[in-house]
Amino acid sequence: MANQKARLAFTATVLAALSSTSALAQAASESSVPGTGTEIIVTAQRRSESLERTPVAVAVLSGASLAKQAIVTESDLQSATPGLTIRAGQNSNQLNYALRGQSLDAFSDTRPGVLPYFDEIQLDGVGGGSSAFYDLQSIQVLKGPQGTLFGRNSTGGAVLFTSTKPTNDLEGYAVARMGDYNAYGFEGALNVPLVSDKVMARVAGFYEKRDGYQKNLYDGTRLGNVDRYGLRGSLTVNFSETIKNELVVDYLHSGGNSLNVLIDSLYPTGAVPLIALTNFGDQGTYNFLINAFTGGLAGCDAETNNCAAAYAAAHPKLDPGGIASYLETQKARGPYQVESDAINAYKGRNLVISNITTIDLGGDTKLRNVFGYTRLQSDSSGDIDGTAFGIDSNGPGGGKNDTTKQVSEELQLVGKTFGGKLNYVIGAYYSHETNVDFTTSLLLDFPPLTSTVVYNKFTTRDMVAGYGQGTLDLSEATGLQGLGITIGARYTHEKIKFDTLPDDTAFQAPPQQQATFDFNQRKSYGNLSWTLGIQEQINPGLLLYVASRRSYKNGGYNGIENPVPGPGSSGGNEYGLETLTDVEIGLKYRGIVGTVPVTFNIAGYQNWIKDGQRVAYTLLGSTPAAVTVNVPRSKISGFELDTSIRPTNWLTLGGSLNYTDARFTDNLVSIGGGAPVAFGTYPDTPEWSGSVYGELNVPLTQTWTGSLRADAYSQSLFWFSSTGNNNPGAHIDGYTLVNFRVGLEDTKTGLSIAAHLKNAFNRVYYVGGIATGELFQFNTVVPGAPRTFMAEAKLKF
């Protein structure tokens, strides 16, 4: 009944919007949209065009918007673009993007459902994150499958980071920031025309430092410390009036450590009886379990070898009641005080090189060559159980280390033909990507059960693709002014090599077990993705469109397992191809209603997913494993709406609303050869999310302007497990956050000052977690940031 009501509400909203478009259309000029402010340019179709002429659901944040909303991290980006979820996994530095139900399960080794791009270069999303949020021209969030025009298929969408390009002016800016938690930072950029109109350079950089939000009561340290810096150099060379080269080299260094997970709920029927095993105050049960796990070799008893008493003496800080008792203690103290016995450290180094050469061939035709190189490194150590009981942690011995390198080459022909009626993009793409993963897990530190498991894998992905997409204006052929059709296709061939390296624990298995392994696994995939759409540009400010697309996530191998051939459903480490097909209908408007500038965008969609890639945590034999399987069928329905109005020159109001109904429709899957399990909760997908904002800009003098901005973001409950129907604690409650900004700006001197208050009402909320309840009898969560204050001063010159 609730789903029917939601669908009816969506239908009513669309009908209301469509019924009002005639009045809106009359308010806009046939040739332009005057009085509506700066035109928003996007590159969702690999060419520059205005937002309201682009038949793709896109959320755009300009550089000015990023500054006003103090968007400096991925988590900040979520509150500014509802519908986009930034989901934390093991800790606050293990992040992935989720859109329209497409995401990445932690430890699954699948490809992300939403991919970030920096200056048209795809970032892996496994070994590292995006570039830092500084000196950006814009961030575009493309919603829905991107399978034809971008380097790698992404089934949920793409996030495009575009850096500020050099200009022919000598200019720049400098920013200084200071806030609570001993936070401070600096940011700046300098633009220099080396040879007027020929050679232009820009250098930008930042430094940020902040103490962590958590205190570790186990050793007195702070967790969540931030120590980051970045440097970006850009060089644009106009070799002639028709040949231009744009080079960007970006380096980001992230240090400090991570916010720790904390134990949040129990699932008593999980595979490993850790509720009882950690309850060493019950000496009889503890001794019995140690003997049972070791086959009696431990020889624990109450008199001559009291293992429980020995463990208690060695760990005087631990709660003898185990994790069941400790959970209540953790709940009472809140998320910013934890007890963790694990080493906690984080270090990331990202190098991204983008080199784009454009040759103007005349007649609206351009040849573009896009070369990219990325090296993304991530080294982290931390707790997986969020307690001091030594259940599972990365390290000592190396922690979790990822190094991803990619070289890509793309050649594009972009232009118009048939008298300007056909806009087209034709291209070829190649990439060579390698990933080295070295992960250590210290498991069950209850002597003599203690063991260290090492996963050490080397993955190579070689991809070649050819694609083409065009939009044909059918106005003359049909007599319907503004009618067009878009058709695109991309054929991709990918070869995957998965090598288990000698440090992997699999090489220590008995010979008879190793005989069942394949240390050098290979797969190849070839598939065709496509897009088909029709749109009606009723006038320059009003667009209606409907589109259908197909996209893929190729299969692969899960590294947090032994290399056993075969699918995860039968005990192997392989997973198969995921296919997504969608239909989207949308309306975009930008114009004047009466005397008020208005923007209004709405999109409704339906996704059909075949063999969705999802992870489950279980025991394979006696070894904990993350098993990636293919869930046969899923369906996702939803709508996205955003609007803004400017009733006066000094007031802007706006907001957005997103509804997502994600569910598994054919959901029985065997995990590791066991009885079929129902996948019943769709992860990383709140049903509702939305935001509202208001901004005042008031002239104070001839040159000074004061501003006040308020933002509120809210989302409903979401699951971080695909099997939450069996593990009801694997969810995060909904929450609402409110942010404020007050500022002063002097247009004459370029000086501005501002103060930001985030999470103004100090709401406790969580941004992700790991659903290990079915394996270890507990689930963990990662907290979001508490209330923070930041003041900044900026000088533009």
Side-chain angles (χ1 to χ4, degrees), residues 336 495 510:
Y336 305 118
K495 184 177 181 179

Side-chain angles (χ1 to χ4, degrees), residues 457 498 500 506 512-523 556-558 561-575 620 627-628 672-673:
K457 307 298 197 301
F498 187 78
T500 303
Q512 62 271 24
Q513 186 181 7
Q514 287 195 40
T516 68
F517 297 164
D518 183 354
F519 293 105
N520 305 105
Q521 297 172 285
R522 304 289 185 266
K523 278 188 179 184
Y557 305 93
N558 197 322
E561 295 181 49
N562 284 324
V564 177
S569 57
S570 61
N573 71 326
E574 302 176 18
Y575 54 88
L620 291 181
V627 181
T628 305

Side-chain angles (χ1 to χ4, degrees), residues 431-554:
S431 75
H432 172 73
E433 177 189 291
T434 62
N435 172 262
V436 179
D437 174 71
F438 182 91
T439 300
T440 61
S441 283
L442 180 64
L443 292 169
L444 303 181
D445 193 11
F446 306 97
L449 304 183
T450 307
S451 65
T452 300
V453 178
V454 177
Y455 300 103
N456 192 195
K457 307 298 197 301
F458 180 75
T459 305
T460 303
R461 295 175 180 266
D462 288 294
M463 175 187 290
V464 293
Y467 64 90
Q469 183 163 311
T471 299
L472 179 63
D473 186 345
L474 299 175
S475 300
E476 290 187 10
T478 63
L480 296 174
Q481 188 63 34
L483 183 66
I485 186 171
T486 298
I487 300 175
R490 183 188 193 100
Y491 179 77
T492 303
H493 182 272
E494 184 173 31
K495 184 177 181 179
I496 303 169
K497 301 178 182 179
F498 187 78
D499 298 311
T500 303
L501 301 181
D503 285 335
D504 195 281
T505 302
F507 282 94
Q508 300 176 14
Q512 62 271 24
Q513 186 181 7
Q514 287 195 40
T516 68
F517 297 164
D518 183 354
F519 293 105
N520 305 105
Q521 297 172 285
R522 304 289 185 266
K523 278 188 179 184
S524 292
Y525 289 91
N527 47 56
L528 182 71
S529 51
W530 49 260
T531 184
L532 175 63
I534 187 167
Q535 56 269 356
E536 171 72 10
Q537 190 75 53
I538 296 174
N539 61 49
L542 180 62
L543 171 70
L544 294 172
Y545 69 91
V546 61
S548 180
R549 296 161 291 195
R550 175 165 291 175
S551 190
Y552 300 88
K553 286 169 62 177
N554 285 335

